[in-house]
């Protein structure tokens, strides 16, 4: 907490935040809450996103809005599941709980992380996804959260938050605690093997592979930093600190040019839990290039992802029933 408070004070006094003009902010209505992450297909269609009630939906433009695309349970019933809050275990098991998703742009397959059903895949036509690893009773995942694919090899990288969420969902307790049960895993579609690469991570929420496949980044939520694991070169199989952040990072997404956007929430615990949602652009060398303040539109709402697509910025939050889209570029 002390670390977070000091970071907050330093950050707010030393940095002039840039922000997007309100007129360039647009909301795309979602069918339900719980949209944590977005994916775009190889034809730039989307966004696709998962919802609390288990649906994976695709945006078809302003007239049609979001339509059903895929499910992570074979027998999901729309009548029983659509609109459910996804807050109880039974509903999650029956309806699904997709929280991360990313396309293999070469094959068109959509890889999905379901918090209870593990790593799954569905073809470009959508429908019922097939389980590849982890899942209920499986030994592979505690709480899988982040997913990205090596853009060159198609190997899937997954972050697992660890066991903390099975002990408490109280954010204050989680922030004051010292959990290090998170892991980085990889799934190789060629060998169909899933294995652990790194352990001892502090709630690794997000993951992103470098454009050239030389390293993979994990956001360590409780450590307020991004850790890098080298996949190639002389440092292969070792990890180091990539960037220190002013708050708790969630998802991290690579841009077309090889930089990254990370959603950062500065959290102040006293007198009550307050959140300052930011987006930070970080170069492939780990330099923070831009900091954007989303407080204007999101207030103290926790955000989970910032993704850049063709000059637009898509902001996700599991607490909003819309996709936030900023366009018109950054204004300081
Ligand atoms: C799904 O439905 C099929 C056909 O009714 C049934 O055989 C199968 O056991 C069901 N699967 C689950 C997980 O309920
Ligand atoms: C969360 O934990 C904090 C610190 O232990 C406690 O003060 C607070 O009452 C808890 N909140 C809830 C909703 O249980
Ligand atoms: C990294 O690990 C892989 C797999 O164990 C091994 O093949 C490779 O030689 C290692 N690279 C370095 C630089 O240690
Ligand atoms: C932020 O507050 C404004 C003004 O009360 C409100 O219109 C807006 O919906 C809030 N945004 C979110 C994401 O809750």
């Amino acid at each position: 907490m002390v670390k977070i408070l000091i970071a907050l004070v330093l950050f707010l006094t030393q940095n002039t935040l840039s922000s997007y003009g309100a007129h360039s902010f647009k909301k795309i209505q979602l069918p339900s809450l719980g949209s944590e992450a977005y994916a775009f297909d190889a034809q730039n269609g989307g966004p696709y996103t998962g919802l609390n009630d288990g649906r994976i939906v695709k945006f078809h433009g302003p007239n049609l809005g979001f339509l059903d695309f895929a499910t992570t349970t074979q027998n999901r019933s729309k009548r029983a599941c659509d609109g459910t809050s996804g807050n109880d275990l039974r509903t999650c098991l029956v309806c699904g709980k997709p929280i991360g998703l990313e396309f293999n742009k070469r094959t068109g397959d959509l890889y999905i992380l379901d918090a209870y059903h593990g790593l799954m895949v569905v073809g470009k036509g959508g429908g019922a996804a097939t389980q590849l690893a982890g899942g209920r009773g499986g030994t592979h995942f505690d709480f899988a959260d982040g997913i990205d694919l090596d853009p060159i090899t198609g190997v899937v990288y997954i972050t697992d938050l660890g066991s903390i969420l099975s002990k408490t969902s109280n954010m204050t307790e989680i922030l004051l605690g010292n959990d290090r049960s998170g892991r980085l895993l990889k799934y190789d579609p060629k060998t169909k093997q899933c294995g652990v690469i790194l352990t001892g991570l502090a709630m690794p929420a997000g993951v992103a592979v470098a454009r050239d496949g030389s390293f993979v980044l994990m956001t360590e939520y409780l450590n307020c930093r991004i850790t890098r694991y080298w996949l190639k070169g002389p440092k292969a199989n070792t990890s180091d600190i990539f960037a220190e952040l002013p708050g708790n990072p969630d998802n991290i997404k690579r841009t077309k040019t090889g930089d990254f956007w990370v959603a950062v929430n500065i959290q102040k615990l006293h007198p009550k839990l307050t959140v300052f949602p930011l987006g930070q652009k970080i170069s492939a060398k780990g330099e923070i290039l831009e900091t954007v303040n989303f407080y204007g539109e999101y207030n103290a709402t926790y955000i989970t992802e910032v993704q850049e697509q063709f000059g637009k910025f898509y902001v996700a939050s599991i607490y909003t029933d819309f996709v936030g889209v900023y366009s018109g570029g950054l204004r300081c």
Side-chain angles (χ1 to χ4, degrees), residues 15-75:
N15 290 265
T16 308
L17 298 181
S18 45
S19 102
Y20 290 95
H23 70 278
S24 64
F25 177 68
K26 202 176 73 182
K27 296 176 181 178
I28 308 177
Q29 183 67 40
L30 285 162
S32 187
L33 289 168
S35 166
E36 170 164 348
Y38 304 137
F40 291 84
D41 62 31
Q43 288 73 45
N44 304 315
Y48 296 69
T49 190
L51 303 173
N52 270 345
D53 66 14
R55 277 178 283 181
I56 292 158
V57 290
K58 175 189 177 184
F59 184 60
H60 288 265
N63 293 333
L64 291 173
F66 279 94
L67 300 179
D68 291 359
F69 179 72
T71 59
T72 54
T73 56
Q74 295 292 332
N75 296 349

Side-chain angles (χ1 to χ4, degrees), residues 4 8 11 171 175 205 221 224 245-251 262-268 273-280 294 298-306 315-317 319:
I4 293 165
L8 174 72
F11 186 75
M171 186 48 83
L175 287 173
Y221 186 87
C224 298
L245 303 169
N248 305 102
D250 205 315
N251 286 349
V262 58
V264 179
N265 295 279
I266 299 181
Q267 302 186 69
K268 197 166 93 45
L273 185 63
T274 311
V275 180
F276 297 87
L278 309 174
Q280 294 198 290
F294 295 112
Y298 282 81
N299 315 317
T301 306
Y302 191 97
I303 62 165
T304 46
E305 181 168 298
V306 178
V315 177
S317 168
Y319 301 108

Side-chain angles (χ1 to χ4, degrees), residues 38 101-102 251-255 259-261 305-307:
Y38 304 137
L101 69 179
E102 192 50 82
N251 286 349
I252 180 165
K253 299 301 286 186
R254 186 179 58 250
T255 68
D259 299 319
F260 302 91
W261 277 97
E305 181 168 298
V306 178
Q307 185 165 170

Side-chain angles (χ1 to χ4, degrees), residues 267-329:
Q267 302 186 69
K268 197 166 93 45
L269 292 177
H270 290 292
K272 64 182 182 68
L273 185 63
T274 311
V275 180
F276 297 87
L278 309 174
Q280 294 198 290
K281 186 179 189 178
I282 304 180
S283 75
K285 292 197 175 95
E287 308 138 329
I288 294 177
L289 302 174
E290 283 175 42
T291 297
V292 183
N293 178 6
F294 295 112
Y295 197 80
E297 291 78 23
Y298 282 81
N299 315 317
T301 306
Y302 191 97
I303 62 165
T304 46
E305 181 168 298
V306 178
Q307 185 165 170
E308 184 180 348
Q309 282 287 329
F310 300 101
K312 288 187 179 173
F313 296 87
Y314 294 83
V315 177
S317 168
I318 52 173
Y319 301 108
T320 63
D321 63 354
F322 60 83
V323 177
V325 188
Y326 292 80
S327 51

